[in-house]
């Protein structure tokens, strides 16, 4: 079973949205497991302190290496990847999510405050990952995003397995536009080709639309796509 272990100072945030919808059903069905550890439980002073002032001065607080180190040692006792959610991390991609979903699971450390003492990142082999170029108030929501993206890829979790192959990013292109009945809505018809019954034409139209949208919205992905699939330069 795919196992997510989460270390946080806000254990009450979990499972949160992961307890609903697809991930929640899969959790209840035993397709994956979630273990949440309270970092604060590994503090030793009577105030259960998990953070301290930054060495060298400056604003904010830093998560203490000794407390977090003990929390990791007690929780991460197998060889699952240990990731620290951080805006400073390597951006997550669908390819990385696929690799993590295929592994036995993940250990996710949720950062808070200004950051985590650098020594514990090095000493416990934490790999920093980011969910995007914006700053959240902590790693918890980012951890949920990562888990959700993995869980939907687990075998048997998503009903229509075929839809994986066609979705955004799997092929390096954004997804084509979707339509369903009514045939005309507020004067806007469904494109004729989609109701033509010609599967070849439908596939060609979708492909062209996926390429058009990718080129327009994500020139970075379009360039990467061209390099990967055509061996050529961006056009
Ligand atoms: N913690 C705060 N911001 C984050 C981000 N963008 N990604 C991952 N973890 C974070």
């Amino acid at each position: 079973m795919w196992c997510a272990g989460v270390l946080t100072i806000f254990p009450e945030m979990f499972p949160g949205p992961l307890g609903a919808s697809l991930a929640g059903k899969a959790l209840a069905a035993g397709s994956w497991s979630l273990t949440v550890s309270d970092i604060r439980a590994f503090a030793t002073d009577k105030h259960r302190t998990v953070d301290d002032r930054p060495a060298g001065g400056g604003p904010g607080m830093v998560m203490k290496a000794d407390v977090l180190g003990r929390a990791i040692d007690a929780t991460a006792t197998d060889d699952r990847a240990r990731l620290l959610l951080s805006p400073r991390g390597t951006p997550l991609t669908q390819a990385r999510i696929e690799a993590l979903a295929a592994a036995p699971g993940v250990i996710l450390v949720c950062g808070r405050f200004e950051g985590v003492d650098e020594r514990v990142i090095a000493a416990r082999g934490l790999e920093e990952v980011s969910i995007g170029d914006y700053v959240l108030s902590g790693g918890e929501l980012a951890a949920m995003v990562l888990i959700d993206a993995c869980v939907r890829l687990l075998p048997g979790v998503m009903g229509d397995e075929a839809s994986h192959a066609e979705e955004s990013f799997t092929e390096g292109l954004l997804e084509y536009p979707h339509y369903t009945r009514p045939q005309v809505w507020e004067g806007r018809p469904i494109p004729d080709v989609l109701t033509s019954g010609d599967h070849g034409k439908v596939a060609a139209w979708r492909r062209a639309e996926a390429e058009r949208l990718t080129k327009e919205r994500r020139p970075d992905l379009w360039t990467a796509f061209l390099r990967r699939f055509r061996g050529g330069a961006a056009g």
Side-chain angles (χ1 to χ4, degrees):
M1 194 203 301
W2 194 82
C3 298
V6 175
L7 282 80
T8 170
I9 55 166
F10 295 110
E12 67 277 12
M13 285 192 185
F14 291 85
L18 297 172
S21 190
L22 198 88
K25 278 189 200 128
L27 185 60
S31 302
W32 66 288
S33 76
L34 176 65
T35 309
V36 181
S37 305
D38 186 359
I39 295 169
R40 205 173 287 283
F42 297 89
T44 48
D45 64 321
K46 75 168 193 246
H47 299 295
R48 301 235 162 250
T49 307
V50 293
D51 59 331
D52 208 338
R53 291 192 306 269
M61 298 291 269
V62 176
M63 203 175 261
K64 284 162 62 59
D66 52 347
V67 178
L68 186 54
R70 279 193 294 274
I72 293 169
D73 293 344
T75 313
T77 50
D78 53 31
D79 56 4
R80 279 175 287 171
R82 300 165 174 195
L83 308 181
L84 171 66
L85 285 307
S86 154
R88 192 177 90 154
T90 306
L92 276 175
T93 60
Q94 187 65 19
R96 186 72 206 278
I97 293 292
E98 282 167 17
L100 292 172
V106 285
I107 300 284
L108 302 177
V109 178
C110 303
R112 278 266 154 185
F113 317 111
E114 294 309 298
V116 169
D117 190 306
E118 193 69 24
R119 293 168 296 179
V120 74
I121 299 174
R124 295 297 179 272
L126 301 182
E127 183 198 343
E128 293 181 73
V129 294
S130 164
I131 64 160
D133 290 342
Y134 39 80
V135 182
L136 306 169
S137 51
E140 285 78 8
L141 286 170
M144 290 179 200
V145 166
L146 187 155
I147 293 171
D148 181 87
C150 287
V151 165
R152 59 186 290 284
L153 298 182
L154 299 176
V157 169
M158 234 176 49
D160 186 1
E161 306 280 342
S163 62
H164 278 318
E166 286 191 19
E167 70 191 10
S168 289
F169 305 119
T170 305
E171 250 209 300
L173 292 174
L174 299 182
E175 234 184 333
Y176 53 76
H178 301 282
Y179 299 87
T180 188
R181 291 179 295 181
Q183 171 61 33
V184 179
W185 178 73
E186 294 189 348
R188 298 164 187 260
I190 293 176
D192 284 340
V193 59
L194 297 180
T195 48
S196 67
D198 184 331
H199 298 303
K201 277 194 182 148
V202 169
W205 180 86
R206 286 177 169 166
R207 179 63 179 213
E209 283 292 291
E211 293 190 4
R212 179 182 65 79
L213 288 171
T214 308
K215 213 168 179 170
E216 261 173 40
R217 296 180 184 177
R218 293 293 302 274
D220 57 325
L221 288 183
W222 180 244
T223 304
F225 172 79
L226 291 178
R227 289 224 174 91
R228 222 161 99 216
F229 292 96
R230 296 183 181 169

